[in-house]
Amino acid sequence: MMDYEPRGPTKSMGVSSYPVYYSVYLLATTAITIIVGYYILTGQGGRFDIGWLLSSISPYMWACLGIGLAISLSVVGAAWGILTTGASILGGGVKAPRIKTKNLISIIFCEAVAIYGIIMAIVITNNIGSFNQYTDSEDAVLKSYQAGYKMFAAGLTVGVCNISCGICVGIVGSGAALADAQNSTLFVKILIIEIFGSAIGLFGVIVSILQIAGSKIGTD
Amino acid sequence: MSTYDADRPPYTPFFGAMGATAAMAFSAMGAAYGTAKSGTGIAAMSVMRPELIMRSILPVVMAGIIAIYGLVVAALIANSIDGNYDLFRSFCHLGAGLSVGLSGLAAGFAVGVVGDAGVRGTAQQPRLFVGMVLILIFAEVLGLYGLIVALILATKSKN
């Protein structure tokens, strides 16, 4: 039996990793201290301006980042769930092949997470219009910036909620498959737990829809 | 956009929107951990004692409640970002979102680990069920503290 140790180089290989980690940490801390100290002590501390950064990044960037995160993180969650559940179904199915058709429900629950992500990404995409920062009224420009921030937040919400939901449903589906392989009456009861897990992704979609309701870049 | 009201710079809605996201996203992470960890325990003990499954779904329900705390605060914040949004309310909403989100994350972790150990123990010793419920209540109440602070912050007005 192989002793699988996923950590860094072991003492028996003649290398200890602590000096490397320690010196990298020390170097990074010293560099940051010197840079920050230079700026503060020469009176240029005002150059570190978060407000300038936030308002000079175009609303289109915020919106498209939100859309990208919405779909990509949701798909990561769905994929993680499917791989976790699928491995257990196929492993348990060696001795109990009857489980394979009933446990496809767990896979479908994970796939639904990806569907939530693509729906929200398309809904957020519909709110991207066109605005001109220099010729539009100040009210319209501020509204467009607000819409950009809200679209980023909406995409991030649905993405992070769906990645958690996908992993959760995958782990519970894995347990359901293995319990089903032992006793086929247990599957329906453990499915209840998967439904609770699936509700988490749904909450993310609800909050995301509330965040982008009525916000639109541009006025057309 | 070179001149704007100092109370309402262009980046004002960013912090409020991030507050709503933090509220929902971190609570969802906590609830997902709680559901997955206790779900694994329930799936493991259900093979030995199938009649105890319905009582053991309690930790999963409590993890779901943590997600609802985050949903409530996130919905409250998201509906408050209107046209007349100033920096004060924006920062208050960021604080509210972080407080319920990170508290929910911690509470979800606690509910998950306690639920996992509790259901496995209850399968072997039925008298442990009441003890598990008591410990789960204390873990759940941590998320409630975050919700209380978040509601105080989110409904704060300048006067």
Side-chain angles (χ1 to χ4, degrees):
Chain A
M1 187 62 133
M2 262 199 318
D3 187 20
Y4 179 58
E5 174 130 340
R7 302 187 188 275
T10 56
K11 265 265 164 60
S12 59
M13 293 167 64
V15 175
S16 170
S17 54
Y18 289 116
V20 179
Y21 292 153
Y22 187 70
S23 58
V24 166
Y25 169 71
L26 200 61
L27 203 64
T29 311
T30 313
I32 292 177
T33 309
I34 290 178
I35 293 173
V36 170
Y38 168 74
Y39 273 106
I40 290 181
L41 295 175
T42 55
Q44 299 175 38
R47 291 236 185 133
F48 182 77
D49 195 347
I50 300 179
W52 167 84
L53 178 73
L54 291 177
S55 50
S56 64
I57 294 179
S58 160
Y60 296 119
M61 166 81 151
W62 291 115
C64 295
L65 267 182
I67 294 165
L69 286 174
I71 182 61
S72 55
L73 292 180
S74 304
V75 166
V76 168
W80 204 322
I82 290 178
L83 74 87
T84 310
T85 307
S88 291
I89 294 174
L90 294 168
V94 169
K95 293 288 182 164
R98 57 177 167 79
I99 69 168
K100 63 181 192 310
T101 37
K102 201 160 39 156
N103 280 275
L104 283 180
I105 295 179
S106 305
I107 307 269
I108 292 176
F109 270 117
C110 295
E111 188 78 21
V113 166
I115 304 280
Y116 295 157
I118 192 171
I119 287 177
M120 279 320 300
I122 293 178
V123 169
I124 299 176
T125 309
N126 284 339
N127 286 1
I128 297 182
S130 63
F131 82 112
N132 191 325
Q133 188 170 342
Y134 303 105
T135 63
D136 279 357
S137 68
E138 186 186 318
D139 216 25
V141 171
L142 287 178
K143 258 196 165 23
S144 297
Y145 270 75
Q146 181 176 8
Y149 297 133
K150 287 166 91 166
M151 286 153 80
F152 175 68
L156 194 61
T157 304
V158 73
V160 174
C161 287
N162 280 344
I163 194 174
S164 318
C165 168
I167 297 174
C168 168
V169 172
I171 292 176
V172 177
S174 159
L178 296 176
D180 187 17
Q182 310 229 19
N183 182 350
S184 50
T185 58
L186 299 173
F187 178 72
V188 179
K189 299 210 176 115
I190 302 185
L191 201 64
I192 299 175
I193 305 175
E194 271 191 67
I195 295 174
F196 274 99
S198 194
I200 296 172
L202 211 57
F203 292 160
V205 172
I206 292 173
V207 170
S208 181
I209 289 182
L210 285 174
Q211 279 176 311
I212 58 162
S215 58
K216 192 168 169 42
I217 296 184
T219 48
D220 45 37
Chain B
M1 218 186 35
S2 49
T3 59
Y4 48 78
D5 184 7
D7 254 348
R8 291 168 174 74
Y11 51 82
T12 309
F14 178 78
F15 300 106
M18 284 294 109
T21 297
M24 191 64 238
F26 289 124
S27 310
M29 282 197 249
Y33 184 89
T35 306
K37 191 106 171 99
S38 25
T40 309
I42 296 170
M45 74 90 175
S46 66
V47 178
M48 288 293 150
R49 306 285 301 269
E51 67 273 10
L52 288 180
I53 296 182
M54 295 317 284
R55 299 178 84 193
S56 304
I57 294 200
L58 182 66
V60 174
V61 172
M62 300 189 98
I65 293 177
I66 290 173
I68 291 181
Y69 293 160
L71 173 73
V72 161
V73 173
L76 182 63
I77 295 174
N79 281 336
S80 310
I81 304 179
D82 48 16
N84 193 22
Y85 199 53
D86 55 350
L87 212 52
F88 169 78
R89 287 173 61 206
S90 178
F91 286 137
C92 283
H93 288 158
L94 176 68
L98 282 175
S99 80
V100 72
L102 296 174
S103 309
L105 178 66
F109 268 69
V111 164
V113 175
V114 168
D116 182 36
V119 303
R120 287 178 200 259
T122 304
Q124 305 180 52
Q125 170 62 271
R127 289 168 58 187
L128 281 181
F129 183 72
V130 176
M132 174 182 87
V133 171
L134 285 173
I135 300 176
L136 279 175
I137 288 175
F138 280 103
E140 180 77 17
V141 124
L142 297 175
L144 193 67
Y145 294 160
L147 176 72
I148 291 173
V149 173
L151 288 177
I152 292 176
L153 266 178
T155 53
K156 207 164 182 53
S157 58
K158 238 180 186 155
N159 46 9

